[in-house]
């Protein structure tokens, strides 16, 4: 700008022709450039301010006017010629005023343009301003030239012009145009770069601001220099609240010292530990809440200063989801205890440690006694609450290093690391003692007891599967021996379990392979010796193992539920056989069939009996169902079922009377026809006076209740004589006949027929 003003002034002076030769002092010409440059510096200094007051404008205009006037008159003094210059005071003052006004207007226009450069249609304002400034400066110059009067003097030496004024003027003009061209090109290029930089920065800033993650920039001291909208949402601070403050504001107190040390270590060593990696940490919200975050840190250097950029993501929802998934995958949904998967993982780790350290480890398999009864009686909701309380009680007996897992249903597994038999015994006894007290749920008092099987590493197994299997085996031994106790595994138990499993497998195939058969034991009228009925008894002959005792396979059939299909088969075969005897012309008799508790509890039991009677065409009066005392303990269900059976015409008897635990009140409540005295009482009539008294009492009580009595297990004449004296109605046993096949019963029928004749 300064060179432009000076060039205009100097070219205009060269365009001024005098009648005498004129040359210019190089020193003076160069010296005249400086006031123009200084006035330009003053102008740009003033307009670069964000505000511009009146005083600043006036002072600036004065200094610029002085600079312009100084440039003009210094340039005039650089003229070397045979004349002296005299100035008109009025025109000189006018030129100074023009310089001041042009400077004032120029400053205002420059300031206005600099503050509104992005306003649309600003180009014509710029062009107009340039025109006004050009006219003003030119006017000042020519006013100044007009103020000068040149008077020749004869003593001056004639000057010799060293260059042509026209050529010099064009040279300066062209040179200035070139300079201006370069300046404008550089300004254009700079503005393009600046525009692109602004656009890029704007886009970059837009991306940062629109990001949902927190993007935080900090200097080497940890002071925050940039804070985006994502950071506001995550941490709760506005940018004005955190800019200039230290990053410690968003770091929980327990991590601040470590964070500070980490920054210092990286700055001094440049060795990254978390720089360039994604790590999971914790952040601190404005309200003081600590929450999980995912952090990525990068660094860059600028002007020998180091800066840190952090991308922070709130992973609260992800952690909650992971926790839920962990609960679903590794935890029991009801009790929150580890499930089978997590138990196996922990137990495998504990076994590795026990192996390395040569230590023992105990495993307990716990099954609740009578839980199914409570679950079925009070409902699954109450059963679930009971399981939760059971889990809490078991946990209360264990240490921090011990683990209890729910395997499903009412089964729990406990493993105790670094333990021996004594320690495991104490814990097992503690569990038993704790369950000796009742559990109260919703004002309902409940009692459950645990059966606990125990295995110990390494004696009872060296892997998870074997230890759990052996503890389970020991638990079943506890169940068989009365429940509510604990038992350590022994190798002999495996033989028993293995035999039981083989027996169960064979039992499942027995019906299909037609391995069952029925035998029949006669029931005799004690007074007349007449055949009144037979009891159908089940026998199993295995092709490899031979004949298997009912005492061995009947309990297993009841335990596995196989007694239901087997019982239906027995009932069908017995009814069919009885009908065949009748079709063969033998006198009709009753067929007694034992009914298991599980079979009687089936909802379709009455319909099953009705269907079998219909298919076999047997009259219901010739069928007797023998029920155990355990069947009728559920009185509500039993009364309804028994009345339905009785209405069909079926005889009902109580088998093994006196061995159960039911109240005698059912004798008058239920529609019973007969009581069967168990053979354990009959066998000891002459050995144990108490048994004799019991038999007499049962017979008298039955007669008073108008019930018939049949005694089982009669083997001697003395036993029969005692029963006759006590007026027992019927008897069966080896004294009369052992259980025999249907073919052999034909001889008894024939004998009865012959005696009748």
């Amino acid at each position: 700008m300064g060179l432009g003003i000076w060039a205009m002034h100097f070219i205009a002076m060269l365009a001024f022709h005098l009648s005498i030769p004129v040359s210019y002092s190089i020193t003076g010409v160069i010296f005249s450039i400086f006031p123009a440059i200084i006035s330009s510096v003053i102008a740009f200094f003033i307009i670069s301010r964000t505000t511009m007051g009146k005083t600043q404008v006036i002072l600036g205009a004065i200094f610029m006017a002085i600079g312009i006037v100084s440039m003009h008159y210094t340039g005039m003094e650089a003229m070397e010629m045979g004349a002296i210059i005299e100035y008109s005071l009025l025109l000189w003052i006018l030129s100074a005023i023009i310089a001041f006004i042009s400077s004032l207007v120029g400053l205002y226009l420059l300031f206005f343009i600099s503050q509104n450069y992005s306003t649309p249609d600003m180009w014509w304002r710029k062009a107009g301003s340039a025109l006004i400034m050009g006219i003003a400066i030119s006017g000042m110059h020519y006013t100044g030239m007009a103020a000068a009067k040149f008077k020749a003097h004869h003593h001056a030496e004639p000057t010799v012009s060293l260059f042509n004024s026209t050529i010099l003027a064009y040279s300066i003009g062209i040179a200035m145009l070139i300079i201006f061209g370069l300046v404008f090109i550089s300004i254009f290029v700079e503005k393009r770069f600046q525009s692109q930089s602004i656009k890029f920065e704007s886009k970059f800033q837009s991306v940062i601001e629109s990001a949902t993650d927190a993007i935080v920039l900090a200097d080497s001291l940890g002071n925050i220099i940039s804070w985006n909208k994502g950071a506001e949402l995550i941490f709760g601070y506005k940018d004005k609240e955190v800019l200039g403050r230290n990053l410690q504001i968003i770091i929980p107190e327990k991590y601040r010292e470590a964070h500070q040390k980490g920054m210092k270590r990286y700055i001094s060593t440049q060795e990254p530990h978390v720089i360039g990696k994604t790590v999971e940490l914790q952040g601190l919200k404005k309200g003081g809440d600590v929450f999980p975050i995912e952090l990525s840190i990068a660094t860059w250097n600028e002007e020998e200063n180091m800066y840190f950029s952090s991308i922070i993501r709130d992973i609260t929802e992800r952690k909650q989801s992971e926790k839920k998934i962990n609960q679903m995958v590794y935890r029991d949904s009801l009790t929150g205890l580890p499930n089978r998967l997590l138990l196996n993982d922990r137990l495998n780790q504990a076994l590795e440690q026990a192996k390395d350290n040569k230590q023992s480890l105990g495993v307990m398999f716990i099954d609740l006694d009578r839980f199914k009864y409570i679950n079925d009686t009070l409902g699954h909701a109450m059963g679930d609450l009971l399981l939760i309380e059971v889990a809490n009680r078991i946990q209360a007996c264990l240490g921090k290093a011990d683990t209890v897992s729910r395997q499903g249903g009412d089964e729990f597994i406990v493993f105790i690391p670094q333990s021996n038999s004594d320690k495991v015994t104490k814990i097992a006894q503690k569990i038993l003692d704790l369950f000796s007290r009742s559990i109260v749920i919703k004002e309902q008092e409940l009692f459950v007891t645990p059966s606990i099987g125990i295995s110990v590493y390494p004696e009872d197994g060296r892997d998870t599967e074997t230890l759990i299997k052996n503890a389970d085996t020991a638990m079943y031994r506890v169940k068989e021996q009365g429940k509510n106790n604990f038992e350590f595994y022994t190798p002999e138990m495996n033989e028993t379990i293995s035999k039981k499993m083989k027996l169960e497998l064979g039992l499942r195939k027995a019906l299909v392979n037609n391995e069952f058969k029925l035998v029949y034991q006669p029931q005799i009228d004690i007074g007349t010796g007449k055949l009144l009925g037979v009891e159908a008894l089940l026998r199993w002959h295995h092709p490899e193992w031979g004949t298997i005792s009912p005492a061995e396979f009947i309990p297993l059939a009841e335990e596995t539920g196989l007694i239901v299909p087997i019982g239906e088969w027995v009932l069908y075969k017995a009814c069919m056989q009885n009908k065949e005897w009748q079709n063969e012309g033998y006198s009709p008799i009753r067929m007694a069939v034992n009914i298991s508790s599980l079979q009687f509890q089936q909802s379709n039991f009455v319909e099953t009996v009705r269907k079998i009677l219909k298919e076999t065409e047997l009259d219901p009066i010739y069928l007797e169902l023998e029920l155990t005392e355990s069947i009728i303990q559920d009185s509500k269900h039993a009364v309804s079922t028994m009345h339905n059976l009785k209405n069909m015409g079926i005889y009902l008897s109580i088998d093994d009377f006196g061995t159960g635990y039911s109240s005698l009140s059912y004798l008058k409540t239920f529609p019973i026809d007969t009581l069967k005295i168990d053979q354990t009482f009959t066998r000891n009539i002459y050995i144990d006076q108490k048994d004799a008294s019991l038999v007499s009492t049962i017979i008298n009580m039955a007669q008073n209740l108008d019930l018939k009595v049949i005694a089982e297990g009669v083997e001697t004449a003395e036993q029969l004589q005692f029963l006759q004296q006590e007026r027992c109605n019927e008897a069966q046993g080896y004294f009369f006949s052992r259980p025999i096949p249907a073919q052999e019963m034909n001889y008894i029928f024939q004998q009865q027929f012959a005696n009748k004749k």
Side-chain angles (χ1 to χ4, degrees), residues 128-259:
S129 301
L131 182 61
I132 292 171
M133 286 293 294
I135 293 172
I137 295 173
S138 298
M140 175 269 158
H141 172 78
Y142 286 107
T143 302
M145 292 297 290
K149 294 180 180 180
F150 300 90
K151 292 184 177 181
H153 56 82
H154 302 286
H155 302 289
E157 295 181 0
T159 59
V160 179
S161 178
L162 300 177
F163 44 79
N164 187 284
S165 297
T166 302
I167 295 174
L168 180 61
Y170 279 112
S171 299
I172 292 174
I174 292 171
M176 292 310 303
L177 289 175
I178 292 172
I179 292 174
F180 286 154
L182 294 174
V183 169
F184 280 118
I185 290 172
S186 66
I187 291 174
F188 176 77
V189 172
E190 182 181 1
K191 282 189 174 293
R192 287 296 299 272
F193 277 116
Q194 185 178 10
S195 176
Q196 291 179 358
S197 177
I198 290 172
K199 288 181 180 179
F200 178 77
E201 185 177 352
S202 177
K203 291 179 181 178
F204 180 71
Q205 191 66 28
S206 175
V207 171
I208 290 177
E209 289 301 322
S210 63
T212 56
D213 292 342
I215 301 177
V216 182
L217 307 183
D219 59 20
S220 58
L221 298 177
N223 297 321
I224 299 172
I225 59 176
S226 179
W227 184 265
N228 73 333
K229 294 292 183 182
E232 290 184 11
L233 294 173
I234 291 176
F235 291 98
Y237 291 102
K238 297 291 184 181
D239 56 352
K240 295 180 181 179
E241 297 178 272
V242 295
L243 291 178
R245 299 183 66 178
N246 198 277
L247 284 170
Q248 303 283 359
I249 193 175
I250 60 173
I251 300 174
E253 187 173 353
K254 59 181 178 180
Y255 299 118
R256 289 175 182 173
E257 184 178 352
H259 174 264

Side-chain angles (χ1 to χ4, degrees), residues 429-446:
Q429 189 60 54
K430 188 177 180 181
I431 293 174
L432 292 175
D433 294 341
L434 194 59
F435 279 91
S436 64
R437 301 196 298 268
S438 65
I439 298 175
V440 179
I441 298 176
K442 292 185 177 181
E443 300 181 356
Q444 179 83 37
E445 189 175 20
L446 305 174

Side-chain angles (χ1 to χ4, degrees), residues 630-679:
S630 61
I631 288 178
I632 57 180
Q633 286 181 2
D634 185 2
S635 59
K636 184 177 180 181
H637 172 74
V639 167
S640 175
T641 303
M642 293 173 72
H643 275 291
N644 289 333
L645 295 171
K646 191 64 180 174
N647 291 336
M648 292 168 58
I650 297 172
Y651 272 67
L652 301 177
S653 63
I654 301 298
D655 193 20
D656 300 334
F657 182 78
T659 60
Y661 302 97
S662 298
S663 170
L664 294 178
S665 63
Y666 65 73
L667 293 178
K668 67 174 184 178
T669 304
F670 300 132
I672 302 168
D673 297 296
T674 305
L675 296 181
K676 295 191 73 173
I677 300 175
D678 186 73
Q679 61 182 344

Side-chain angles (χ1 to χ4, degrees), residues 58 122 333 523 638 710:
I58 293 172
M122 182 57 66
S333 59
Q523 295 176 334
I710 181 169

Side-chain angles (χ1 to χ4, degrees), residues 451-727:
S451 293
I452 306 173
I454 304 171
S455 61
V456 179
Y457 170 87
E459 296 87 349
D460 302 329
R462 295 178 177 272
D463 59 81
T464 297
E465 183 179 356
T466 303
L467 287 168
I468 293 177
K469 178 179 70 70
N470 289 341
D472 188 17
T473 300
M475 183 274 294
Y476 273 107
R477 175 58 65 88
V478 175
K479 291 278 189 182
E480 292 172 356
Q481 294 182 347
K483 307 177 182 180
N484 190 26
N485 207 339
F486 66 88
E487 188 85 28
F488 281 87
Y489 168 80
T490 59
E492 292 76 17
M493 293 179 182
N494 262 347
E495 297 179 7
T496 303
I497 294 296
S498 179
K499 183 179 179 181
K500 187 176 181 180
M501 290 178 63
K502 290 180 180 179
L503 192 64
E504 179 183 343
L505 184 61
L507 193 59
R508 292 184 182 277
K509 297 179 180 179
L511 267 179
V512 179
N513 296 337
N514 198 27
E515 296 172 8
F516 289 123
K517 69 176 183 178
L518 292 182
V519 293
Y520 306 92
Q521 189 170 39
Q523 295 176 334
I524 306 298
D525 186 312
I526 290 180
T528 64
K530 181 181 178 181
L531 177 66
L532 298 178
V534 293
E535 180 180 3
L537 300 172
L538 182 64
R539 295 294 183 263
W540 178 21
H541 184 81
H542 192 274
E544 295 181 13
W545 308 329
T547 301
I548 300 171
S549 169
E552 189 174 357
F553 73 82
I554 292 295
L556 181 60
E558 291 179 343
E559 181 183 334
T560 58
L562 292 172
I563 195 65
V564 174
I566 293 174
E568 291 182 13
W569 180 87
V570 170
L571 184 62
Y572 180 83
K573 287 293 185 181
C575 290
M576 179 173 285
Q577 182 61 59
N578 198 9
K579 184 62 178 177
E580 286 180 3
W581 285 331
Q582 292 179 16
N583 293 338
E584 291 174 5
Y586 298 124
S587 299
I589 59 172
R590 287 195 309 274
M591 175 68 72
V593 180
N594 289 281
I595 302 299
S596 73
S597 174
L598 187 61
Q599 189 179 1
F600 184 81
Q601 291 172 2
Q602 299 298 306
S603 59
N604 64 340
F605 177 67
V606 175
E607 292 302 319
T608 300
V609 174
R610 182 180 285 111
K611 179 182 177 183
I612 290 174
L613 289 172
K614 183 178 180 180
E615 289 178 356
T616 59
E617 300 179 354
L618 180 68
D619 193 322
I621 64 173
Y622 298 118
L623 175 63
E624 178 181 346
L625 300 181
E626 295 186 2
L627 312 177
T628 62
E629 288 183 280
S630 61
I631 288 178
I632 57 180
Q633 286 181 2
D634 185 2
S635 59
K636 184 177 180 181
H637 172 74
V639 167
S640 175
T641 303
M642 293 173 72
H643 275 291
N644 289 333
L645 295 171
K646 191 64 180 174
N647 291 336
M648 292 168 58
I650 297 172
Y651 272 67
L652 301 177
S653 63
I654 301 298
D655 193 20
D656 300 334
F657 182 78
T659 60
Y661 302 97
S662 298
S663 170
L664 294 178
S665 63
Y666 65 73
L667 293 178
K668 67 174 184 178
T669 304
F670 300 132
I672 302 168
D673 297 296
T674 305
L675 296 181
K676 295 191 73 173
I677 300 175
D678 186 73
Q679 61 182 344
T680 57
F681 299 134
T682 306
R683 189 178 297 124
N684 297 324
I685 287 176
Y686 285 104
I687 300 174
D688 191 331
Q689 184 59 39
K690 291 182 179 179
D691 283 347
S693 299
L694 282 172
V695 171
S696 298
T697 301
I698 292 171
I699 294 173
N700 290 330
M701 179 181 64
Q703 290 174 346
N704 291 331
L705 294 173
D706 198 22
L707 299 175
K708 291 185 178 181
V709 182
I710 181 169
E712 295 179 311
V714 178
E715 298 179 354
T716 65
E718 290 80 6
Q719 292 171 348
L720 178 61
Q721 184 179 6
F722 178 86
L723 294 172
Q724 289 173 336
Q725 292 175 355
E726 295 296 329
R727 294 185 299 168

